[in-house]
Amino acid sequence: TSKLIHFMRDIDTLFLLIVKVTTEMLASEGCSIILRDEDTGELVFHSVTGEKSSELTQFRLSEGEGVVGHAILTCQPIIVNSVDEDRRFSKRADQASGFSTRNVLCLPLRVEDDCIGALEIVNKDEGADFTEDDRYLGEAVSNQIAVAIRNVQLTNSALRSERLAAIGEAVTGVAHFVRNMLNGMEGGLVI
């Protein structure tokens, strides 16, 4: 998993791989990567596995909303084995998708002092509870995922900067060429 995470450069493929592997590895019904939108602070479901995954892709929660929002705000892992008994749980995602969440394991995606989102695993198979062993295993994966996501984001940002610089150079070259043509035409028109 670590090798795949660190050599993947396409972020959508990376996210899909992560949620599929994590769902299987932690024997659960579903998994989501939820990232904090830097502009709005909203929490965006970027990649989702499970029965109702298509309804939740790009679903948004408010900043700090739900168990996942609390995990991101505090940058601490959270296990909730009975969501009905936890006041932090937000039912909005379940209502929007028709899914029924029983229990949840939220693991912050932390890079240095910045929490960029969370890995959320829902409904341990066969009605079981999430354990501390699940948390330890999930944290090992989430730490690697956070670094991989940040690396892909930095690579994409560098590529955008290089493209913008190349476009700037091309525009400057065209402007110089047009200016030279106009100067030549102006010189030829003066009688």
Side-chain angles (χ1 to χ4, degrees):
T1 303
S2 179
K3 285 181 185 177
L4 290 172
I5 286 172
H6 291 289
F7 291 107
M8 187 73 58
R9 293 293 170 238
D10 175 59
I11 200 150
D12 294 326
T13 306
L14 173 64
F15 286 170
L16 187 58
L17 172 71
I18 290 167
V19 293
K20 283 183 176 182
V21 168
T22 304
T23 300
E24 291 173 16
M25 185 175 57
L26 290 174
S28 62
E29 289 182 22
C31 179
S32 307
I33 292 177
I34 300 155
L35 298 179
R36 190 183 67 233
D37 183 309
E38 292 179 17
D39 297 328
T40 66
E42 290 178 308
L43 309 177
V44 183
F45 287 65
H46 280 276
S47 195
V48 183
T49 59
E51 182 183 327
K52 303 288 185 170
S53 59
S54 61
E55 287 89 352
L56 287 177
T57 302
Q58 295 305 311
F59 184 80
R60 291 174 177 260
L61 294 172
S62 300
E63 185 174 18
E65 183 178 353
V67 176
V68 69
H70 190 74
I72 292 170
L73 280 178
T74 62
C75 210
Q76 296 294 317
I78 299 174
I79 296 174
V80 175
N81 280 315
S82 178
V83 296
D84 293 334
E85 297 174 13
D86 195 295
R87 62 176 175 71
R88 297 171 295 187
F89 181 71
S90 172
K91 296 179 181 179
R92 283 196 326 112
D94 280 4
Q95 291 167 343
S97 66
F99 189 74
S100 181
T101 303
R102 292 185 318 273
N103 55 17
V104 62
L105 169 60
C106 287
L107 304 156
L109 298 174
R110 180 181 20 224
V111 179
E112 296 170 3
D113 292 334
D114 188 21
C115 190
I116 61 172
L119 183 64
E120 181 180 62
I121 302 99
V122 296
N123 294 354
K124 186 81 171 167
D125 284 346
E126 300 177 9
D129 286 345
F130 285 107
T131 66
E132 287 298 309
D133 288 341
D134 293 325
R135 182 179 67 85
Y136 294 136
L137 181 58
E139 281 184 309
V141 172
S142 68
N143 291 335
Q144 296 295 314
I145 291 167
V147 171
I149 290 170
R150 182 54 54 96
N151 287 343
V152 169
Q153 289 172 335
L154 291 173
T155 299
N156 289 344
S157 178
L159 288 173
R160 275 191 298 278
S161 295
E162 287 177 20
R163 285 185 192 125
L164 288 174
I167 289 169
E169 286 179 32
V171 168
T172 301
V174 169
H176 182 71
F177 176 75
V178 169
R179 192 174 334 128
N180 285 344
M181 278 183 35
L182 291 174
N183 285 338
M185 288 172 58
E186 183 182 29
L189 291 175
V190 178
I191 301 178

